[in-house]
Amino acid sequence: MPEESLQGRVVVITGASSGIGEATARAASAAGASVALLARRADRLRDITADLEGKGGGRVIAVAADVTDEHSLTRAAKQVSEELGRCDALVNNAGQMLLSRFEASKVDEWRRMIEINLVGALLATDAFLPALRDGGGDIVNISSVAGRKARPTSSVYSATKWAIGGWSEAVRQELIADRVRVTLVEPGAVRTELAEHISDDSIRETTRAMYDTTDALHPDDIAGAVVYAISQPPRVSINEILIRPTLQEY
Ligand code: NDP
């Protein structure tokens, strides 16, 4: 990937306070982009932006926002427009993976995942779409292998990621005339904070063990794929990228 492949572009990343989102912000910045990091933990965003400032080609800003709240996203889009002037790429990455058996009836966790993983991506896209349409842009949706392969304990998480896949493809077709490209990225196991929020102790332990036995991916591995997709020439649209650890079977 050319070092300055995103020179002059503005990239907005949701869920940029840790894991894949943070790594994507660092990779986009290293590729020369100006970057807006969105998440709820403003302190984490401040630390990352302070670390990135002056390292990449463009500017780096922290935007405290909750993707489940459309007013918060409207404010975020305004802040990005005022401080960076445009938005060329939106990475819908914010998410939670609250694995449980369906019979455990963790209704609050179902709602949280649907609100963050699915509705959050819709709302963020709605807020940034006018800017993305202005000259052609990129929408990158971070789905999961769980959006293709359902497994016990992943039912509702899989449902949210399956939904993202369907929505992405329809939106890709709708936005062709505006030259907005849509990319679906489907990571397998990636070593991040994601599994730490699982409330069932035994499922959390099993998930952690799976990350060890599969020699899980690093967040940078996914960040590289995102930068690859959005740094293609305008005629090239990378629609889907599925990335597993070499040792992950399902
Ligand atoms: P992390 O837990 O490290 O990151 C999740 C990010 O989402 C955090 O930055 C968090 O920030 C943000 N977030 C959560 N809720 C909200 C909200 N309401 N508003 C704004 N931001 C929010 O996990 P990952 O990096 O692993 O996860 C990133 C994405 O990758 C998710 O969509 C996940 O489903 C997907 N994925 C991850 C895999 C893995 O194995 N790690 C595999 C496949 C897909 P904050 O709490 O500060 O708001």
Side-chain angles (χ1 to χ4, degrees):
M1 170 195 328
E3 243 175 50
E4 302 293 310
S5 56
L6 294 178
Q7 188 78 44
R9 307 271 299 277
V10 173
V11 180
V12 176
I13 301 153
T14 70
S17 58
S18 58
I20 294 169
E22 175 183 347
T24 302
R26 291 181 182 279
S29 177
S34 289
V35 181
L37 294 91
L38 270 70
R40 294 167 303 178
R41 286 171 293 176
D43 52 336
R44 293 279 288 261
L45 295 180
R46 269 195 302 275
D47 291 348
I48 301 165
T49 50
D51 185 43
L52 279 177
E53 264 159 16
K55 279 191 184 162
R59 294 190 53 204
V60 187
I61 65 167
V63 182
D66 183 333
V67 296
T68 66
D69 175 356
E70 59 261 52
H71 304 296
S72 170
L73 286 165
T74 305
R75 284 194 298 275
K78 189 163 176 278
Q79 184 186 339
V80 170
S81 163
E82 285 170 0
E83 295 186 29
L84 301 179
R86 50 196 283 170
C87 170
D88 302 301
L90 169 67
V91 183
N92 283 312
N93 165 77
Q96 288 202 344
M97 180 184 73
L98 307 170
L99 302 182
S100 65
R101 290 188 67 82
F102 186 71
E103 70 219 10
S105 302
K106 299 201 177 214
V107 179
D108 287 348
E109 295 190 358
W110 301 346
R111 288 193 203 280
R112 243 158 71 204
M113 285 190 287
I114 293 166
E115 280 293 314
I116 299 168
N117 303 4
L118 176 58
V119 180
L122 308 185
L123 294 177
T125 304
D126 187 48
F128 284 95
L129 193 53
L132 289 166
R133 272 190 154 131
D134 187 10
D138 281 287
I139 298 168
V140 180
N141 295 318
I142 307 296
S143 176
S144 170
V145 162
R148 286 173 157 244
K149 300 272 179 201
R151 306 272 298 155
T153 76
S154 84
S155 62
V156 179
Y157 180 66
S158 275
T160 65
K161 296 300 190 180
W162 229 282
I164 283 289
W167 167 71
S168 288
E169 175 55 14
V171 169
R172 182 188 71 76
Q173 294 175 33
E174 288 184 14
L175 295 176
I176 284 174
D178 294 306
R179 296 189 174 269
V180 173
R181 306 183 293 195
V182 179
T183 304
L184 187 70
V185 178
E186 299 157 309
V190 186
R191 208 172 285 284
T192 67
E193 297 174 8
L194 196 70
E196 302 311 311
H197 303 291
I198 298 171
S199 60
D200 181 303
D201 292 342
S202 143
I203 296 172
R204 192 172 60 250
E205 279 312 314
T206 308
T207 308
R208 282 180 182 151
M210 192 274 273
Y211 282 53
D212 289 336
T213 54
T214 57
D215 188 16
L217 299 168
H218 299 182
D220 288 348
D221 300 328
I222 309 304
V226 173
V227 171
Y228 164 76
I230 65 177
S231 55
Q232 295 299 311
R235 68 179 178 280
V236 180
S237 179
I238 305 288
N239 300 147
E240 196 168 353
I241 306 178
L242 172 63
I243 315 172
R244 286 189 179 88
T246 305
L247 299 182
Q248 183 174 339
E249 188 171 359
Y250 297 107

